[in-house]
Amino acid sequence: MIYAFLTLWIVGALLIIRESKIIRMIIYLGIFSLISSVCFYMFGAPDVAIAEAAISVFSTVFFIVCFEKHFGLAVGVSDVTPESAENRTNLKKYIPPVVFTIFLFVLFIFFIPENPANSYLKDQYLSLFSRDVGGENSVTSIYLGYRVYDTLFEALMLLVGIVSVTHLSRYCETSVKEGKPSDINRADIAVFTIRVICPVMLLFGIYLILNGHISPGGGFQGGAAIASFFVCRYMIYDIYDIPIERIIMVEKIIYVVVVLLAVLFIFIGLHSFLPLPQSVYLITMNLLIGAKVTCGLIIIFYRFIAFERR
Amino acid sequence: MVFDIIEIFSVLMFFISFYGLITSKSIIKSVVSILLMESAVIMFFLSIGYTSGIMPPIGQNPETETVADPLPQALMITAIIIGVAVVAVNLIMLISLYRQCKAKDWDAAKKKSME
Amino acid sequence: MLAYFVIIPILIAVFLYVFPSSKAGRLIAVITQTALVGLAFYLFFICKSRDVVSNIGNYESFLGITLRADALSSVFIILTSFIFLIVAVYTFNEKYNGLFWFLLFIWEGLLIGIFLSRDLFNIFVLVEVTTVAVAVLIMFNRDNRSMYDGMVYLMINTVAVQFYLFGTGYVYKLTGVLDIDAAAKVLEELDKSSLILPYALIITAISLKCALVPLFSWLPKAHGTPGAPSAVSAILSGLHIKGAVYLFIQFNDLFKEVVVSEFFLIIGIITGIVGFIFAMSQKDIKLILAYSTISQIGMIITGLNNDDIYSYTGSLYHIFNHALFKSALFLSAGIIIKIYNTRDIYKIRGVLKRSPLIGAVIIMAILGIIGTPFFNGSVSKYFIFSGTSLPVGGAILLINLGTIITFIRFSSILFGKPQTEPDPAKTDKCKQAAVLVLGTLCLVGGILGEQLIEFLFNVKVSVDTAGYLQKSALFTASAVGGYLIYKLYIKNSPRLKQVREIELSFRGMCVSVGAFFAVVLVVTKLFA
Amino acid sequence: MQIAGNIIIIIGIIFMFFGVIGIYKFKNFYSRILISGQIDTVGALTVIIGIAVKHGISFFSLKLLLLAGIILLLNPLATHITARSARLSGYLAQEQEPPPHDKKDGV
């Protein structure tokens, strides 16, 4: 079963690599992410699968939003300028790169070590996580407990990504109610259905965040689900009433709080002094990270759609 | 040579995306290829210690034998978030470059940026 | 707790961004920088007697992330905090917004994090965040050229980091741990042939970060792009690349069973030679400095891989020195570009007359980089040279000769009469102070060279009179030779323009990454 | 219970099978949309109900039914938006060229 899906995965990648139309590439990318998500689930990694699914939604939306505004997404738009698209048909040009890649692939396989996987840390984590950090989801325990130092930088990465997106997209003022309403706005069926679905999405996101320590999910996945609620909201109403500057500020403050919380609980070891159950730390941290991810993805999304809108 | 077949898929994917990198004229496809490359590495990490009928590592005292390794999963969530941040930054650079130089492919971007 | 060395700069960064940069904010930044330098020295004095290890969260036996400061990394931390202090003083009066300071300080925190971290995946995260932050700093002014350069920088480094991550996956699979020290213990017992693949994957990524020979094309773009603020170029060239060299040392240590040091010796020599050939052909003042960085990195890598304690120590000291004089050169180049409003070395003339202080600093830095006796470059280059056998020593001399020619050409900006009318605006006092400190340190590092080496690296070395005479004779000979070669062949050669136009595209860079990976695999298999 | 569940699953698969044949049979874009809506909604729904019946009354089947509800809500919407966008961007049923995809559906 897993081999079938992995083969599909490879086929999806091949389709993406040899496609030259932007819109098809994006659709294939969505399919590819779906297949990889299923594969992750089959590898026994539901957390990663949820994260990948949430992220694939967002990367597809980013791609579509960004290319629709700037390149246009009519069916014929190629990913290169017309001059360089001309000599694509020449098959001979493809032989050297193919040969080179196959050579590297064979060389790589030749050197793959034969040793079986060493499971030292796996055994340690599985036997110790509920004592050391608490919770029932060992992935969340590692993510927020043992390796919280990594998580701090990961949150920092999101922050850096956001400030760079806001810096590189030119105009700061986005909370303006203008721009032509999307066609969906007039599609009554779509508006109604999305209105029905939105609370469910919001609820699902909150469920993922709050139950992150006992079931698959966590701050990041839940945050992404909540942020997709805002994407739907944009799809229905097409308004720009989100105060971006204020959300950026909120995000920075949340980041500081996350760092301080991690320092207090993990670095100093506060939980050994306080009579609190360990899950309090996990839930608080998940909530904060969820809020941060929601803010971050909303900011990136709105910067993409409001790029160069004065 | 004895190795897991499952590993080969990620290696194959790694080099498919490498092929995409060394042949793509367009910047968009390079961005997508990097996405694929990340996906290959993520799949490799998750396939470490795979046996058939593997279970998610959730529950108070999971059976060590049939349970997936939790550490790569925690690492890969981090990697996925980093990936999406990099993609967002790449895309916004791509748009800015396109607006300034009207260049979708590497050669044109190079030529226009040198002026 | 070592983690605070990383977290405090980052918190200051966020603080500076939340309360946008007023004069008070920048003052706080500079004061905390000074405090950080003090703390770094304190850490260094502790590390002289013992390693400082901190387990984050106090989890047992490699479950958490370990940070460790030893004698080497504490020296790097001193260097980092010092250079950032200088740069903070340099940019004190510039009109950058909060974002610039934010990125600058998280850059500092992350670099210190790289020097401290002992966890493979943590290093990946740090490197990746640094890459994005640096890419944004490079394209800070958002002009076409720096946009393109920043994009190439970001994407090629992301590709390299994927190689690194794949290698980390194999190390984890083989050893079951992610901690470098623990992994080293397990790897020792494993079969040699199973180490080759992870080694090749990781070292390919690190070599790209170090800009070794086929993989250096991104470096001049990133370090020498005209739009980037000079402070950013100075840190990139002076400090950022040293992080990669530090990782190079770490990973060669981790995989010491399979390392073919002769291979990297040769690669280092080729890097040095190619670097100065490109450097002497450029006419953009920042690009000359950027390519000269490649040449110096080649020399450092050569020294590190030469199996000799003198060369090794000399290389470490050269890392230190290179940070000083290359930052001095980049920062003064920034001032000069501001005064003359051009980057073409044929159009800049008479710096010494226009602003004698900057001219003096540039002279000191140039004397340092070409290895004049009594300046810091001479000490480190002498040690690298003294440990080598004949062919390698000859190559070191050749690289130094190339550097001399490059900087003779560079120093033409100091003399003569200005062709374009310089901008009469007054130079900033803070900037002058910053470059003056760096220039003076070049001289101090030369006069107190032996003592400094003993102080920093705990290696007792001594230079006898005969050695000193020999060194001076060699330097004089190569300086005269270099001057003659410059006058006779290089000055008006038409070849320069041809060399200047050689440049790899993004695809070419990716191909060279793959080719380097294959070569490392094959060489390691054959010779290790 | 087991047998009933299996029969329902097989019925769902038969739906899907005919749907796939239909997609290849029709050349018209709007007809294809119709058929693919069939596969998406009816086929998947039937299979899910079959699995739920197979598991009997449990927490798992409750989740499955929730999933079925969401599919019932969202899949027709996706089909509707695809067809509507094609119509709005001026694609007529008579033309034989591929339709312009303007909106990614169901985001």
Side-chain angles (χ1 to χ4, degrees):
Chain A
M1 192 68 175
I2 181 112
Y3 294 103
F5 274 102
L6 283 172
T7 319
L8 267 179
W9 188 59
I10 299 281
V11 172
L14 284 174
L15 281 177
I16 294 172
I17 290 296
R18 57 164 285 285
E19 185 55 62
S20 62
K21 306 275 192 293
I22 297 176
I23 176 71
R24 290 193 197 163
M25 204 147 70
I26 297 170
I27 291 174
Y28 288 145
L29 199 64
I31 297 171
F32 173 83
S33 296
L34 178 66
I35 300 172
S36 15
S37 182
V38 172
C39 291
F40 294 160
Y41 179 72
M42 288 185 154
F43 277 126
D47 294 82
V48 189
I50 297 175
E52 169 76 26
I55 276 314
S56 73
V57 169
F58 269 91
S59 47
T60 316
V61 169
F62 288 163
F63 271 99
I64 287 181
V65 164
C66 116
F67 295 136
E68 194 206 353
K69 293 263 176 201
H70 303 287
F71 298 158
L73 269 187
V75 78
V77 176
S78 166
D79 56 345
V80 289
T81 40
E83 302 93 70
S84 34
E86 273 172 14
N87 44 19
R88 266 226 166 111
T89 45
N90 191 352
L91 265 183
K92 258 185 201 160
K93 273 178 56 193
Y94 288 95
I95 294 173
V98 169
V99 170
F100 182 61
T101 314
I102 291 176
F103 165 69
L104 281 182
F105 176 61
V106 172
L107 202 67
F108 195 108
I109 288 182
F110 182 73
F111 280 99
I112 286 182
E114 296 167 11
N115 311 43
N118 189 330
S119 63
Y120 171 74
L121 270 190
K122 175 187 169 186
D123 302 340
Q124 293 277 318
Y125 278 132
L126 286 180
S127 55
L128 292 177
F129 79 92
S130 58
R131 188 201 71 191
D132 282 349
V133 189
E136 284 181 27
N137 184 351
S138 55
V139 178
T140 310
S141 304
I142 295 172
Y143 181 74
L144 294 177
Y146 295 109
R147 299 187 70 86
V148 74
Y149 187 63
D150 268 353
T151 310
L152 295 184
F153 291 113
E154 173 208 306
L156 182 67
M157 180 74 180
L158 209 56
L159 190 58
V160 172
I162 286 153
V163 295
S164 34
V165 166
T166 37
H167 178 66
L168 293 174
S169 61
R170 290 242 152 174
Y171 298 103
C172 301
E173 188 54 51
T174 53
S175 51
V176 184
K177 264 190 182 179
E178 61 166 275
K180 81 172 180 10
S182 62
D183 285 334
I184 286 185
N185 212 351
R186 274 168 273 133
D188 292 334
I189 301 177
V191 171
F192 178 76
T193 322
I194 293 176
R195 269 189 199 148
V196 173
I197 284 298
C198 273
V200 179
M201 283 164 59
L202 213 52
L203 194 69
F204 182 60
I206 294 170
Y207 167 82
L208 281 181
I209 292 178
L210 287 183
N211 282 319
H213 61 297
I214 47 175
S215 72
F220 174 67
Q221 293 93 330
I226 293 178
S228 59
F229 161 74
F230 284 88
V231 175
C232 284
R233 189 169 166 278
Y234 166 75
M235 290 288 171
I236 304 175
Y237 296 112
D238 194 36
I239 46 175
Y240 299 91
D241 61 344
I242 305 278
I244 293 286
E245 295 297 316
R246 213 173 297 161
I247 293 185
I248 294 178
M249 186 65 82
V250 168
E251 219 226 337
K252 283 173 217 150
I253 292 168
I254 292 178
Y255 178 71
V256 174
V257 176
V258 165
V259 171
L260 291 180
L261 205 68
V263 166
L264 274 183
F265 273 83
I266 299 294
F267 293 15
I268 299 178
L270 197 65
H271 60 81
S272 52
F273 305 130
L274 290 181
L276 290 172
Q278 284 169 321
S279 55
V280 170
Y281 164 72
L282 292 173
I283 292 176
T284 325
M285 203 71 175
N286 263 334
L287 270 175
L288 284 172
I289 290 180
K292 184 173 158 24
V293 170
T294 311
C295 294
L297 289 175
I298 290 173
I299 294 165
I300 296 179
F301 176 71
Y302 270 86
R303 286 315 291 221
F304 268 110
I305 56 174
F307 189 85
E308 297 234 331
R309 185 188 290 266
R310 279 173 211 259
Chain B
M1 280 181 284
V2 187
F3 43 74
D4 296 336
I5 301 290
I6 217 123
E7 209 171 310
I8 299 301
F9 283 97
S10 13
V11 177
L12 186 60
M13 178 61 97
F14 193 76
F15 283 103
I16 287 173
S17 48
F18 185 77
Y19 171 79
L21 282 173
I22 65 176
T23 52
S24 77
K25 284 199 174 69
S26 75
I27 304 178
I28 302 167
K29 196 169 272 182
S30 299
V31 174
V32 172
S33 300
I34 290 177
L35 251 175
L36 297 190
M37 209 172 217
E38 274 167 4
S39 188
V41 176
I42 291 169
M43 195 67 92
F44 170 72
F45 263 88
L46 293 182
S47 71
I48 292 175
Y50 171 78
T51 50
S52 64
I54 203 157
M55 296 294 290
I58 288 164
Q60 281 287 349
N61 287 309
E63 302 273 325
T64 318
E65 291 303 312
T66 57
V67 159
D69 193 347
L71 178 62
Q73 301 187 14
L75 301 185
M76 284 311 110
I77 291 176
T78 310
I80 287 176
I81 300 177
I82 288 177
V84 74
V86 170
V87 164
V89 176
N90 267 333
L91 282 181
I92 208 89
M93 283 179 188
L94 174 62
I95 303 177
S96 306
L97 199 68
Y98 182 70
R99 291 208 79 91
Q100 286 180 10
C101 325
K102 291 275 166 283
K104 275 193 254 179
D105 41 347
W106 285 108
D107 301 338
K110 188 173 160 187
K111 216 186 294 165
K112 294 261 173 56
S113 66
M114 292 297 164
E115 282 163 5
Chain C
M1 278 296 283
L2 290 171
Y4 296 127
F5 271 94
V6 185
I7 286 173
I8 288 173
I10 292 176
L11 282 182
I12 292 171
V14 180
F15 174 78
L16 281 179
Y17 197 28
V18 173
F19 303 100
S21 150
S22 60
K23 197 134 193 171
R26 281 172 284 163
L27 208 61
I28 291 171
V30 171
I31 290 169
T32 36
Q33 279 301 312
T34 323
L36 209 63
V37 174
L39 272 177
F41 269 104
Y42 175 65
L43 181 71
F44 172 72
F45 282 116
I46 296 175
C47 285
K48 270 179 105 72
S49 51
R50 64 184 172 87
D51 287 359
V52 182
V53 181
S54 86
N55 273 324
I56 289 176
N58 292 324
Y59 299 113
E60 62 234 56
S61 59
F62 314 120
L63 283 178
I65 292 173
T66 314
L67 303 184
R68 198 184 78 189
D70 53 14
L72 184 60
S73 56
S74 58
V75 172
F76 275 102
I77 291 168
I78 291 179
L79 188 63
T80 311
S81 47
F82 180 70
I83 298 281
F84 270 93
L85 172 64
I86 295 285
V87 167
V89 173
Y90 179 86
T91 41
F92 191 73
N93 286 336
E94 291 269 352
K95 302 250 175 319
Y96 292 126
N97 56 8
L99 179 70
F100 180 83
W101 290 91
F102 170 72
L103 291 173
L104 204 68
F105 281 102
I106 59 170
W107 191 6
E108 179 182 17
L110 294 168
L111 269 178
I112 294 178
I114 289 175
F115 293 133
L116 286 177
S117 180
R118 302 299 295 172
D119 188 275
L120 287 165
F121 191 79
N122 189 233
I123 291 175
F124 157 76
V125 178
L126 292 167
V127 165
E128 192 74 348
V129 183
T130 322
T131 309
V132 174
V134 169
V136 179
L137 278 174
I138 288 173
M139 52 179 82
F140 195 76
N141 292 333
R142 299 188 288 207
D143 54 315
N144 290 357
R145 176 74 182 277
S146 51
M147 210 68 137
Y148 173 72
D149 290 347
M151 186 137 184
V152 169
Y153 172 80
L154 176 59
M155 288 180 72
I156 194 70
N157 276 286
T158 316
V159 172
V161 160
Q162 299 311 320
F163 274 79
Y164 174 83
L165 194 55
F166 215 134
T168 306
Y170 272 109
V171 173
Y172 176 68
K173 189 176 181 183
L174 287 173
T175 63
V177 283
L178 281 169
D179 191 86
I180 291 182
D181 301 319
K185 265 179 217 151
V186 185
L187 286 179
E188 265 174 17
E189 293 157 13
L190 286 178
D191 190 25
K192 238 186 204 176
S193 63
S194 53
L195 299 187
I196 296 175
L197 186 63
Y199 170 68
L201 283 166
I202 289 180
I203 215 70
T204 307
I206 303 293
S207 301
L208 186 132
K209 289 263 167 202
C210 290
L212 295 186
V213 91
L215 312 173
F216 63 86
S217 307
W218 60 269
L219 188 140
K221 284 188 201 303
H223 293 200
T225 188
S230 297
V232 173
S233 307
I235 299 176
L236 266 174
S237 224
L239 202 60
H240 185 73
I241 194 111
K242 309 304 189 306
V245 175
Y246 177 79
L247 289 181
F248 186 86
I249 300 171
Q250 292 298 322
F251 284 106
N252 274 358
D253 212 27
L254 174 62
F255 291 99
K256 53 183 172 300
E257 314 268 304
V258 290
V259 173
V260 185
S261 59
E262 289 80 7
F263 174 68
F264 282 100
L265 192 72
I266 294 166
I267 289 278
I269 290 170
I270 300 173
T271 310
I273 292 170
V274 171
F276 79 70
I277 289 174
F278 275 101
M280 72 177 76
S281 70
Q282 303 299 322
K283 62 176 188 180
D284 186 323
I285 180 171
K286 277 176 104 173
L287 278 180
I288 291 178
L289 297 176
Y291 275 110
S292 138
T293 300
I294 298 176
S295 147
Q296 301 299 310
I297 289 292
M299 188 182 273
I300 290 169
I301 294 290
T302 314
L304 287 177
N305 284 292
N306 192 10
D307 206 5
D308 185 277
I309 180 72
Y310 275 93
S311 298
Y312 188 79
T313 321
S315 280
L316 292 182
Y317 192 46
H318 198 63
I319 291 174
F320 207 82
N321 294 336
H322 182 250
L324 293 179
F325 44 64
K326 197 44 76 64
S327 336
L329 283 170
F330 261 113
L331 293 179
S332 9
I335 299 176
I336 291 173
I337 291 169
K338 197 120 193 196
I339 295 174
Y340 285 82
N341 228 341
T342 176
R343 298 183 307 275
D344 192 337
I345 61 161
Y346 294 120
K347 289 188 184 148
I348 303 175
R349 283 286 179 273
V351 173
L352 211 51
K353 213 171 184 179
R354 168 69 181 74
S355 44
L357 192 87
I358 307 299
V361 170
I362 291 183
I363 288 179
M364 281 199 267
I366 286 179
L367 290 180
I369 201 171
I370 64 179
T372 324
F374 304 114
F375 283 87
N376 54 1
S378 71
V379 181
S380 48
K381 285 188 178 176
Y382 174 72
F383 281 123
I384 296 176
F385 177 69
S386 66
T388 53
S389 55
L390 187 63
V392 182
I396 295 281
L397 280 183
L398 182 63
I399 296 173
N400 196 30
L401 183 68
T403 314
I404 289 172
I405 297 172
T406 309
F407 280 93
I408 287 173
R409 191 155 171 276
F410 183 84
S411 64
S412 66
I413 64 166
L414 293 172
F415 312 108
K417 221 174 148 217
Q419 284 175 354
T420 50
E421 195 54 40
D423 187 12
K426 270 207 139 183
T427 324
D428 192 347
K429 283 277 186 302
C430 292
K431 289 185 174 180
Q432 287 182 343
V435 290
L436 191 64
V437 169
L438 285 174
T440 320
L441 278 176
C442 289
L443 186 59
V444 174
I447 294 171
L448 301 175
E450 296 154 38
Q451 289 84 347
L452 265 179
I453 285 181
E454 199 188 332
F455 175 67
L456 291 174
F457 305 109
N458 259 338
V459 178
K460 181 93 179 140
V461 288
S462 61
V463 189
D464 49 355
T465 327
Y468 218 82
L469 281 177
Q470 181 203 9
K471 182 172 72 171
S472 311
L474 271 175
F475 172 75
T476 321
S478 41
V480 172
Y483 188 70
L484 286 178
I485 292 172
Y486 172 69
K487 274 287 177 209
L488 294 178
Y489 298 108
I490 310 285
K491 195 173 182 187
N492 295 314
S493 169
R495 293 265 159 75
L496 292 184
K497 194 165 184 307
Q498 292 172 5
V499 175
R500 207 182 300 152
E501 277 164 7
I502 299 175
E503 203 187 347
L504 280 181
S505 63
F506 180 72
R507 266 169 294 160
M509 288 180 211
C510 292
V511 171
S512 62
V513 171
F516 189 85
F517 171 64
V519 170
V520 172
L521 272 180
V522 173
V523 167
T524 316
K525 177 78 181 170
L526 291 182
F527 298 108
Chain D
M1 214 60 165
Q2 287 282 327
I3 300 165
N6 281 342
I7 289 171
I8 298 177
I9 291 176
I10 288 170
I11 291 174
I13 291 173
I14 289 172
F15 266 118
M16 287 187 176
F17 178 73
F18 281 115
V20 172
I21 290 178
I23 282 188
Y24 281 99
K25 189 163 178 293
F26 290 108
K27 292 280 178 272
N28 187 312
F29 170 68
Y30 289 107
S31 318
R32 282 184 172 185
I33 282 277
L34 182 74
I35 301 295
S36 71
Q38 293 273 342
I39 301 177
D40 273 358
T41 315
V42 184
L45 216 58
T46 323
V47 170
I48 286 176
I49 290 172
I51 298 173
V53 168
K54 215 172 158 181
H55 275 263
I57 298 168
S58 67
F59 192 57
F60 182 73
S61 350
L62 191 69
K63 281 188 201 166
L64 280 180
L65 288 181
L66 206 65
L67 203 63
I70 289 177
I71 286 179
L72 194 59
L73 209 55
L74 280 187
N75 263 337
L77 177 68
T79 318
H80 166 74
I81 288 184
T82 315
R84 190 171 183 275
S85 320
R87 184 73 192 81
L88 281 181
S89 48
Y91 177 71
L92 297 174
Q94 283 79 23
E95 290 163 4
Q96 285 303 310
E97 67 200 37
H101 294 274
D102 259 15
K103 294 272 188 292
K104 183 89 193 326
D105 36 26
V107 210

